[in-house]
Amino acid sequence: MNVTVIGTGYVGLVSGTCFAEVGNNVLCLDLDAEKIRILNEGGIPIFEPHLLEMVQRNIAAGRLQFTTDVKKAVDHASVQFIAVGTPPDEDGSADLKYVLAAARSIGQHMQGYKVIVDKSTVPVGTASKVAAVVAEELALRSADIGYSVVSNPEFLKEGAAIDDFMRPDRIVVGADDEQAIHLMRELYAPFQRNHERLIIMDVKSAELTKYAANAMLATRISFMNELADLSERLGADIESVRLGMGSDPRIGYHFLYPGCGYGGSCFPKDVKALIGTAKEHQQDLQILNAVESVNNAQKHVLTKKIKARFGATLKGMRFAIWGLAFKPNTDDMREAPSRELIADLLAAGAVVSAYDPVSLHEAKRIYAGQDGITFAESHQDALDGADALVIVTEWKEFRSPDFAAIKEKLKTPVIFDGRNIYDPATVLAHGFEYFPIGRRA
């Protein structure tokens, strides 16, 4: 099947590449000429495990192409995926200008029936807006051409996106047109050979499903972070609590890990957008307001622990930070807890030496010209001259460190662990002061 994907960001590039991997002829459109140049030369503008090899393999096979030519992209396929960005507007709601611009382009150039698929995470009611824009463009051309707008939200985890797409838990399709549903079933058939994963529903329910899923996961994280704080006050151990909770099959263990807050391109944006959608319909989502408030506070929990140990003024002190991306296996630093921590430390007069296995290029872009922060080429180098170590992202290479080497490099043997990756007894046995989240140390 021929498939067009509009947008070569995270969702668009992963989706287009995975569709090509199972034999479809995919053309990806982006108006960013530099991004298309990189892709056509066999590179990728983002980091995602195994994505580069898959892109190169499908380019070589002739199944994956990239273009800035809008007309060519619209002519290429009956199925047109819109996978452009939906950044938060000033009020926190999703900005649909790129989605609607893509829809307008389809309406301007389409010559035959199209299934227009909203792959971007968009508020409830977006499909109707997309349909209206397409209808408007067709009316200007006096063109009587059929089309259907489908909601097909993505459920990709950064760092595991290829596996999520190729072996999905579910494929949500919101549609009310049988022809569109038939095409979506045909397109997704290779991804559900083991058993049926396609869930057909109305468009508005599909649009809400994505927000509801991310909001629920964010809620679990903030709930555990509040319990971690309470555990510290009570002298309990949140890890023991987590095991006791997770053993209940109604709860499970997923997303029950306390830490220094969630970040990234999805949870913060989607929680804000869902709150905004509810406000537009005269509803106050009290639970999600609390989830967002707890998370905003949790991003400063490491700063509080550092100041409690060293004092409110950190002038002249140096802190080594391990991990800058909002989670492992990605270079994404959007809304990352590390950014709040760094801002807090610099404001308190400290300097920072930071390391991340993947996101250093992004960090150097964000902090270009910023005094007080340097970047190390290894996690050991980041420790040079540091007063303490702060762990913000749970990369695998941090899990079994040489504690003796760390102790030798630090001026004071102190570790602040924002992800609880170490056993407190082990760290204490090596002679460190250890400050995890919600654990007795």
Side-chain angles (χ1 to χ4, degrees), residues 94-351:
D95 187 344
L96 296 177
K97 64 184 177 184
Y98 300 117
V99 171
L100 298 180
R104 194 171 297 281
S105 294
I106 294 170
Q108 289 168 348
H109 296 283
M110 60 188 284
Q111 299 299 320
Y113 176 79
K114 301 290 182 186
V115 176
I116 302 166
V117 186
D118 285 336
K119 196 69 173 170
S120 303
T121 300
V122 293
V124 176
T126 299
S128 298
K129 294 179 181 179
V130 168
V133 165
V134 174
E136 181 182 315
E137 291 300 324
L138 291 176
L140 290 174
R141 295 164 48 200
S142 299
D144 183 16
I145 303 172
Y147 65 94
S148 180
V149 180
V150 171
S151 175
N152 175 219
E154 54 85 14
F155 296 96
L156 306 177
K157 298 186 295 291
E158 291 191 45
I162 297 296
D163 193 56
D164 285 345
F165 200 102
M166 300 299 290
R167 287 177 283 275
D169 297 317
R170 75 286 208 198
I171 302 165
V172 172
V173 173
D176 53 17
D177 176 74
E178 286 302 320
Q179 185 176 355
I181 293 171
H182 174 76
L183 283 171
M184 295 298 285
R185 284 192 182 281
E186 181 181 346
L187 180 61
Y188 277 110
F191 303 98
Q192 49 175 347
R193 297 188 56 136
N194 181 269
H195 65 272
E196 177 77 14
R197 292 180 171 88
L198 209 67
I199 304 173
I200 305 296
M201 60 184 71
D202 64 276
V203 173
K204 287 186 177 180
S205 295
E207 290 172 331
L208 182 57
T209 296
K210 173 57 189 286
Y211 280 117
N214 277 356
M216 183 64 200
L217 296 175
T219 298
R220 287 170 70 99
I221 294 171
S222 281
F223 178 70
M224 289 304 293
N225 283 334
E226 280 209 305
L227 281 187
D229 184 36
L230 180 60
S231 293
E232 290 186 7
R233 295 169 187 266
L234 296 175
D237 188 331
I238 193 62
E239 177 62 11
S240 297
V241 175
R242 183 187 73 83
L243 293 172
M245 290 173 61
S247 61
D248 185 331
R250 297 169 301 174
I251 299 173
Y253 294 103
H254 293 297
F255 283 82
L256 288 188
Y257 293 93
C260 50
Y262 62 75
S265 63
C266 293
F267 286 7
K269 176 173 68 71
D270 292 354
V271 168
K272 285 185 174 71
L274 190 51
I275 291 171
T277 296
K279 285 182 178 178
E280 290 174 5
H281 293 80
Q282 294 74 54
Q283 184 181 2
D284 182 23
L285 296 182
Q286 298 178 51
I287 291 175
L288 285 191
N289 280 317
V291 167
E292 184 178 41
S293 177
V294 168
N295 190 61
N296 290 338
Q298 196 68 14
K299 290 183 178 181
H300 300 278
V301 70
L302 287 171
T303 304
K304 289 183 178 180
K305 290 177 179 291
I306 290 169
K307 288 184 175 181
R309 169 60 178 81
F310 291 111
T313 301
L314 304 175
K315 189 175 178 64
M317 298 192 71
R318 174 181 289 273
F319 291 89
I321 293 181
W322 284 4
L324 296 170
F326 85 94
K327 62 181 285 189
N329 298 320
T330 180
D331 61 352
D332 194 344
M333 288 183 61
R334 286 173 288 184
E335 302 274 353
S338 64
R339 297 178 68 166
E340 297 295 334
L341 172 64
I342 289 169
D344 289 346
L345 292 176
L346 295 181
V351 296

Side-chain angles (χ1 to χ4, degrees), residues 62-97:
R63 294 189 299 265
L64 182 61
Q65 300 178 64
F66 303 95
T67 186
T68 57
D69 187 332
V70 175
K71 185 178 185 305
K72 179 181 178 181
V74 176
D75 289 343
H76 176 74
S78 296
V79 181
Q80 303 269 317
F81 280 85
I82 297 178
V84 296
T86 53
D89 218 332
E90 290 182 6
D91 61 357
S93 62
D95 187 344
L96 296 177
K97 64 184 177 184

Side-chain angles (χ1 to χ4, degrees), residues 12 18 34 95 139 150 163 177 184 207 218 230 252 254 272 301 358 364 398 402 408-410 422 428:
C18 289
E34 176 61 18
D95 187 344
V150 171
D163 193 56
D177 176 74
M184 295 298 285
E207 290 172 331
L230 180 60
H254 293 297
K272 285 185 174 71
V301 70
V358 170
K364 289 175 181 177
F398 303 155
D402 183 340
E408 184 177 335
K409 287 203 170 194
L410 292 177
Y422 302 134
L428 295 174

